[in-house]
Amino acid sequence: MPVPELLVLFGSQTGTAQDQAERLGREARRRRLGCRVQALDSYAVANLIREPLVIFVCATTGQGDPPDNMKNFWRFIFRKNLPSTSLCQMDFAVLGLGDSSYAKFNFVAKKLHRRLLQLGGSALLPPCLGDDQHELGPDAAIDPWLEALWEKVLGLYPVPLDLPVIPPGIPLPSKFIFQFLQEAPSTGSGELSITSSAPQGPASELQPFLAPMVANERVTGLQHFQDVRLIEFDITGSGISFAAGDVVLIQPSNSAAHTKQFCQVLGLDPNQYFVLQPREPGVPCPPGLPQPCSVRHLVSQYLDIASVPRRSFFELLACLSPHELEREKLLEFSSARGQEELYEYCNRPRRTILEVLCDFPNTAGAIPADYLLDLIPQIRPRAFSIASSLLAHPTRLQILVAVVQYQTRLKEPRRGLCSSWLASLDPQQGPVRVPLWVRSGGLVFPETPGTPVIMVGPGTGVAPFRAAIQERVAQGQTENFLFFGCRLRDQDFYWQPEWQKLEERGCLTLVTAFSREQEQKVYVQHRLRELGALVWELLNLRGAFFYLAGNAKYMPTDVAEALISVFQEYGGLSNSDAAAYLANLQRTLRFQTETWA
Amino acid sequence: GISASQLVAVIWDKSSPEKALKDLVDRLQRLTGSEGQVLMENVNQLLQFNNNKVKTASKLCSALTLSGLVEIKELQREALGPEETQSVQEHLGYHSDTLISVQITGKKPNFEVGSSSQLKLSVSKKSSPSVKPVVDPAAAKLWTLSANDMEDESTDLIDSDELLDPEDLKKPDPASLRAPSCGEGKKRKACKNCTCGLAEDLEREKSKQQSAQPKSACGNCYLGDAFRCANCPYLGMPAFKPGEQVLLSTSNLQDA
């Protein structure tokens, strides 16, 4: 009797959905079911009609959108020409991850569930709606749903009695085997996998361009609470091209101190080399790792030891722990009733994997190397709006980076991995190279000449607009309106001299809001209302495009509200007509936003 | 060729004279008999449910479902032969190389105007995986052809927003988002082998007596936060060796 096979397909933006998908895979294997776990866009969708049992694990991101690694699938599954009986062989279930503070809460999961029904699939369960807003996170919804799912699945595919469930506490076999080499390889792959001087195709995640860092200057006053850097890269010979509104992705590394500490706590020799071998045939090796690889490279460039561990980390660590006291605590942290305590210990203070391992030294010292890739996720790249135009600075790429640092109840301050790493690099001390690649951003600027552009970019949000203004001025487009907000004109007024020159040339109208220069707070949305007549004229009579960018939770809503009231006051529109007017601007791409929380 | 037990949909608009329409429906009802159904659909209503004309069998099924029929089942479909295609072109002026004839059954649910019934769009109660229909080879072919052309940007997509209903836009009740045991604030726990007195304090609190001042010298402080008392002065600091002198104002880890 063939082993029943379950297929788990995921769409994940930050890795959470992927983690849940892999959890499903492990739970399946513990129940002796065969299981394949794949990203949706990596799966050959032609085969879907033959799959009898599929679980879809999908996050909703952005404005109710599917994650990047399921965008192709999403465009396919809604094709009108797909027959309504296509998936008649399939029993399915959809597990969604989202945030109910957004209006389009779990839209991807909800829509997918309905669409699969339309295409003839049979649902085992209603969709699970994991919610970040729940005090205990998505697991609050997922745990009971998974229990119900396994009941259904094992009802359909009962496992023979001679194959009992593998209980929690016993580790599943590791995905990979580490074959350590006695000596360092003669070819010496070095710290960074530099393959050849000539790039093979455009720079991408699999093959980033190692860009020399040319400048790394602090642009905020020394009194200012935040360290913000203007960083410039030389992209000569990379084949990289970009337009204003595009985004650069940077792959950060762990610090030397953290790398050293991790190796010490686990008893690893950073100078040793190894070759990876998958335990099961047909499983590819991780594409981001050179073969052979050094332990130092693995720990500094690949393993995300500065990230906050997920529940699955504690589950596996418990299985690997030889120490009674530590093991007991780890099992508690993996259990459903231990989730509240885990949240207090780990999530709320933002405790990192490295810090947890230091708290469980006996377990850490006993971790077999084979399990490192099961235990610790890969470092994810970070995206930054490109702040310069090739038309003004050919062969250069600039970004504006706010160094993230804040306090929780842990004594050691929390630091952003990428921003701290970039801040620590000093090109004046020696050559510095940073792995990066480019992708289209969420902002697109009008091509029709004579179209005015209104840009609202407080703080670091002004970065993509600096690129846009440079580009447009180089193309002779001079109707540029920038609303810029910051705290104090002598502390964080980025690019002030540049704006002044452009104003003198008649290429820019700059409206500023310095929030802390007077008793009451003045923000960009106040300025928008003050200049409502102009804003209305530009939008309604001149066909202007409106842009909003920045790092804030409430600013986008506040600006939208300001616009609505401008439409009412200067356009004479009713409240609902004003909202419809804004919605229409959005639909025709004349109102665009790029905001990050 | 209308025969017994078929479903016939009559698409009409305001221009059809009432009597002629009634006569047509009577004739059709006699032909289709008691097993069959004759469905009257106003063309404007249908168009409201569909952004364009019903051009595919799956769209027709959806349209029929949305118009209120239940138990929609596609029985058969076959491509029109060259003669039939020609006939369509002559009589209806419509040309296409991919015309198919589809047979669908459906039932008008027997309820009065204004009553409601839940459409069977949710979980099916099948208990055994073996009773699954075989994938229709024509459907499989269409799917595979489409899937092998993932780059094709020209195919029409349905509007996924149409799949949602007002229920989907509802936000969850904030009470449902709280952790279950969040009554009187966070639990104060004592270490396993508590020597600082917290375990005793909690005991005393339970028997409603005054709590003593907790001492700061705890036997388990050297373990990490995971093992420390709720009021341990070392909370927030990493684990250290027992007996090691650790200043409470700890120095920061030096980054490269």
Side-chain angles (χ1 to χ4, degrees):
Chain A
M1 160 117 172
V3 173
E5 268 270 338
L6 165 66
L7 176 63
V8 179
L9 295 173
F10 65 87
S12 185
Q13 193 72 13
T14 60
T16 307
Q18 179 170 351
D19 181 66
Q20 292 290 354
E22 284 166 1
R23 169 192 181 178
L24 254 154
R26 284 191 301 272
E27 292 195 9
R29 270 176 233 118
R30 285 189 183 276
R31 289 161 175 78
R32 307 300 189 151
L33 298 165
C35 186
R36 291 161 289 150
V37 179
Q38 273 186 284
L40 271 161
D41 281 352
S42 307
Y43 175 76
V45 74
N47 298 329
L48 205 57
I49 47 176
R50 282 176 283 277
E51 298 281 357
L53 184 56
V54 187
I55 314 295
F56 295 85
V57 181
C58 300
T60 300
T61 185
Q63 318 286 332
D65 299 317
D68 290 341
N69 59 9
M70 66 179 280
K71 282 208 149 72
N72 292 337
F73 173 82
W74 200 244
R75 275 193 293 268
F76 170 80
I77 204 72
F78 289 103
R79 286 182 181 177
K80 284 183 179 168
N81 61 10
L82 296 178
S84 66
T85 57
S86 308
L87 303 179
C88 60
Q89 297 257 305
M90 186 194 285
D91 284 312
F92 74 87
V94 177
L95 195 171
L97 288 130
D99 186 325
S100 61
S101 62
Y102 290 86
K104 303 196 179 184
F105 171 54
N106 261 314
F107 265 24
V108 171
K110 290 171 179 170
K111 289 179 180 182
L112 181 60
H113 184 95
R114 301 275 168 82
R115 182 60 176 157
L116 293 170
L117 286 172
Q118 261 188 1
L119 293 172
S122 308
L124 292 169
L125 291 171
C128 177
L129 305 177
D131 189 355
D132 277 347
Q133 286 302 314
H134 194 288
E135 215 160 337
L136 299 177
D139 273 348
I142 295 175
D143 287 355
W145 188 87
L146 275 182
E147 269 188 43
L149 177 71
W150 292 125
E151 231 186 273
K152 277 268 169 29
V153 168
L154 292 171
L156 293 175
Y157 300 97
V159 177
L161 290 167
D162 59 343
L163 280 180
V165 167
I166 304 176
I170 301 197
L172 292 171
S174 66
K175 231 187 282 179
F176 297 99
I177 301 172
F178 276 57
Q179 284 174 341
F180 284 97
L181 306 179
Q182 298 295 356
E183 284 169 4
S186 45
T187 45
S189 50
E191 294 294 327
L192 304 162
S193 49
I194 304 165
T195 40
S196 68
S197 48
Q200 285 130 304
S204 65
E205 181 159 8
L206 289 176
Q207 208 154 32
F209 176 66
L210 291 159
M213 183 185 280
V214 168
N216 187 347
E217 304 294 330
R218 175 171 174 143
V219 290
T220 44
L222 292 169
Q223 260 85 339
H224 196 64
F225 78 102
Q226 192 164 46
D227 179 358
V228 178
R229 304 293 183 91
L230 178 59
I231 300 180
E232 183 170 299
F233 298 103
D234 181 354
I235 54 170
T236 315
S238 65
I240 287 176
S241 179
F242 55 86
D246 288 347
V247 143
V248 62
L249 288 126
I250 292 186
Q251 185 71 28
S253 302
N254 291 308
S255 69
H258 284 166
T259 303
K260 184 171 170 195
Q261 191 182 22
F262 181 85
C263 290
Q264 268 170 0
V265 171
L266 266 72
L268 296 170
D269 175 5
N271 298 311
Q272 245 198 322
Y273 277 77
F274 61 89
V275 169
L276 272 185
Q277 197 141 86
R279 205 177 276 276
E280 264 167 63
V283 171
C285 280
L289 281 176
Q291 296 254 58
C293 182
S294 71
V295 169
R296 179 174 286 108
H297 182 107
L298 175 73
V299 177
S300 62
Q301 320 270 43
Y302 192 91
L303 296 178
D304 201 355
I305 60 180
S307 65
V308 177
R310 299 196 172 96
R311 178 179 172 182
S312 53
F313 173 86
F314 289 91
E315 248 176 62
L316 179 52
L317 206 56
C319 294
L320 300 173
S321 177
H323 187 267
E324 194 192 315
L325 186 68
E326 292 182 8
R327 187 186 162 90
E328 195 187 320
K329 185 55 82 171
L330 292 166
L331 281 171
E332 231 181 281
F333 281 149
S334 341
S335 68
R337 31 164 203 88
Q339 288 312 289
E340 246 187 281
E341 214 196 321
L342 177 60
Y343 184 80
E344 276 302 308
Y345 171 68
C346 206
N347 303 74
R348 195 192 280 226
R350 316 286 300 151
R351 196 180 299 266
T352 66
I353 285 180
L354 179 53
E355 285 169 329
V356 172
L357 291 172
C358 291
D359 268 5
F360 291 85
N362 295 290
T363 308
I367 295 172
D370 285 348
Y371 281 95
L372 285 174
L373 293 167
D374 295 279
L375 199 57
I376 303 173
Q378 183 183 9
I379 299 175
R380 305 188 78 80
R382 269 67 165 174
F384 296 90
S385 291
I386 299 178
S388 63
S389 168
L390 286 171
L391 297 181
H393 304 281
T395 75
R396 294 291 198 257
L397 191 156
Q398 294 180 357
I399 53 175
L400 196 62
V401 179
V403 181
V404 174
Q405 184 169 321
Y406 58 95
Q407 209 70 35
T408 62
R409 71 167 166 82
L410 294 174
K411 293 291 187 295
E412 187 71 20
R414 305 295 92 189
R415 293 198 174 93
L417 175 65
C418 191
S419 60
S420 300
W421 176 66
L422 286 172
S424 72
L425 302 172
D426 186 357
Q428 294 184 344
Q429 296 284 331
V432 172
R433 287 168 71 130
V434 169
L436 54 79
W437 62 98
V438 158
R439 83 164 178 232
S440 299
L443 301 179
V444 174
F445 291 87
E447 291 185 351
T448 319
T451 313
V453 157
I454 306 173
M455 297 161 280
V456 179
T460 50
V462 73
F465 299 141
R466 194 274 190 133
I469 290 168
Q470 278 189 334
E471 203 149 280
R472 284 170 58 83
V473 166
Q475 291 165 337
Q477 311 258 43
T478 56
E479 289 196 86
N480 303 305
F481 298 83
L482 177 63
F483 286 77
F484 174 70
C486 66
R487 287 194 182 188
L488 298 159
R489 75 183 73 218
D490 63 341
Q491 292 296 317
D492 55 343
F493 191 175
Y494 312 124
W495 290 300
Q496 186 271 330
E498 207 169 295
W499 304 138
Q500 192 170 341
K501 288 207 192 72
L502 287 172
E503 276 193 300
E504 285 159 13
R505 283 170 54 193
C507 301
L508 173 67
T509 304
L510 175 67
V511 179
T512 53
F514 300 109
S515 62
R516 300 209 174 180
E517 287 196 346
Q518 57 283 313
E519 183 80 34
Q520 77 279 20
K521 291 278 191 318
V522 177
Y523 295 133
V524 284
Q525 51 267 31
H526 301 130
R527 294 288 189 238
L528 277 172
R529 286 177 203 242
E530 280 170 27
L531 293 170
L534 171 66
V535 171
W536 175 249
E537 186 193 315
L538 288 169
L539 282 172
N540 200 44
L541 295 176
R542 301 290 320 286
F545 278 50
F546 190 101
Y547 299 86
L548 174 58
N551 178 8
K553 197 163 186 195
Y554 304 110
M555 189 263 299
T557 319
D558 289 341
V559 167
E561 267 173 26
L563 275 184
I564 301 271
S565 76
V566 161
F567 299 159
Q568 289 179 270
E569 196 178 329
Y570 296 95
L573 298 179
S574 69
N575 199 343
S576 55
D577 282 346
Y581 191 91
L582 184 61
N584 193 44
L585 288 177
Q586 263 174 305
R587 248 194 311 273
T588 53
L589 297 184
R590 287 177 55 208
F591 177 87
Q592 299 179 30
T593 65
E594 179 115 289
T595 56
W596 50 96
Chain B
I2 309 288
S3 57
S5 82
Q6 280 190 321
L7 171 85
V8 180
V10 179
I11 319 285
W12 59 275
D13 71 1
K14 284 198 300 263
S15 70
S16 319
E18 206 185 290
K19 180 141 195 328
L21 210 47
K22 196 172 180 322
D23 282 347
L24 173 65
V25 170
D26 283 348
R27 267 192 12 240
L28 288 171
Q29 272 178 335
R30 265 182 273 121
L31 282 170
T32 55
S34 55
E35 295 297 297
Q37 293 288 326
V38 178
L39 174 68
M40 303 286 295
E41 266 313 318
N42 179 290
V43 69
N44 294 318
Q45 260 214 315
L46 259 191
L47 286 175
Q48 262 172 45
F49 288 120
N50 312 282
N51 290 329
N52 51 30
K53 303 198 196 76
V54 176
K55 275 197 181 142
T56 67
S58 63
K59 206 60 200 245
L60 178 60
C61 286
S62 302
L64 293 172
T65 305
L66 290 170
S67 334
L69 293 188
V70 295
E71 294 174 29
I72 307 292
K73 273 198 274 283
E74 188 187 319
L75 290 181
Q76 188 188 309
R77 69 166 78 179
E78 46 189 55
L80 292 188
E83 282 169 358
E84 294 161 309
T85 310
Q86 178 85 343
S87 179
V88 167
Q89 189 171 348
E90 281 171 15
H91 290 102
L92 298 178
Y94 181 82
H95 176 72
S96 164
D97 289 326
T98 55
L99 289 173
I100 52 173
S101 143
V102 185
Q103 263 194 28
I104 299 177
T105 65
K107 274 206 187 106
K108 255 191 140 157
N110 46 359
F111 49 62
E112 301 295 343
V113 169
S115 63
S116 67
S117 161
Q118 197 171 43
L119 292 175
K120 277 220 207 115
L121 291 176
S122 58
V123 181
S124 69
K125 305 257 188 237
K126 293 207 193 80
S127 56
S128 165
S130 54
V131 274
K132 289 266 185 240
V134 182
V135 183
D136 163 30
K141 207 163 158 195
L142 278 167
W143 176 279
T144 313
L145 274 172
S146 197
N148 287 334
D149 196 3
M150 288 296 278
E151 304 299 312
D152 184 8
E153 298 283 325
S154 67
T155 46
D156 282 342
L157 302 180
I158 69 168
D159 182 357
S160 62
D161 283 334
E162 282 179 13
L163 291 168
L164 300 173
D165 57 40
E167 277 296 305
D168 294 315
L169 290 162
K170 280 214 201 121
K171 296 225 168 170
D173 173 14
S176 67
L177 298 178
R178 304 202 54 82
S181 74
C182 232
E184 334 96 43
K186 300 294 173 207
K187 284 192 293 233
R188 291 175 67 218
K189 280 182 64 180
C191 305
K192 221 176 147 161
N193 312 305
C194 181
T195 55
C196 73
L198 182 63
E200 286 167 35
D201 295 344
L202 292 174
E203 276 297 307
R204 263 185 255 130
E205 270 175 23
K206 269 209 300 206
S207 45
K208 289 178 187 167
Q209 282 178 6
Q210 260 193 347
S211 55
Q213 271 304 105
K215 300 199 197 86
S216 57
C218 168
N220 286 342
C221 294
Y222 71 96
L223 298 171
D225 275 358
F227 304 95
R228 288 176 182 147
C229 298
N231 61 353
C232 178
Y234 293 94
L235 267 181
M237 286 166 52
F240 51 93
K241 301 272 178 346
E244 187 184 325
Q245 279 280 44
V246 180
L247 298 167
L248 282 176
S249 56
T250 201
S251 60
N252 288 343
L253 194 65
Q254 295 300 328
D255 261 35

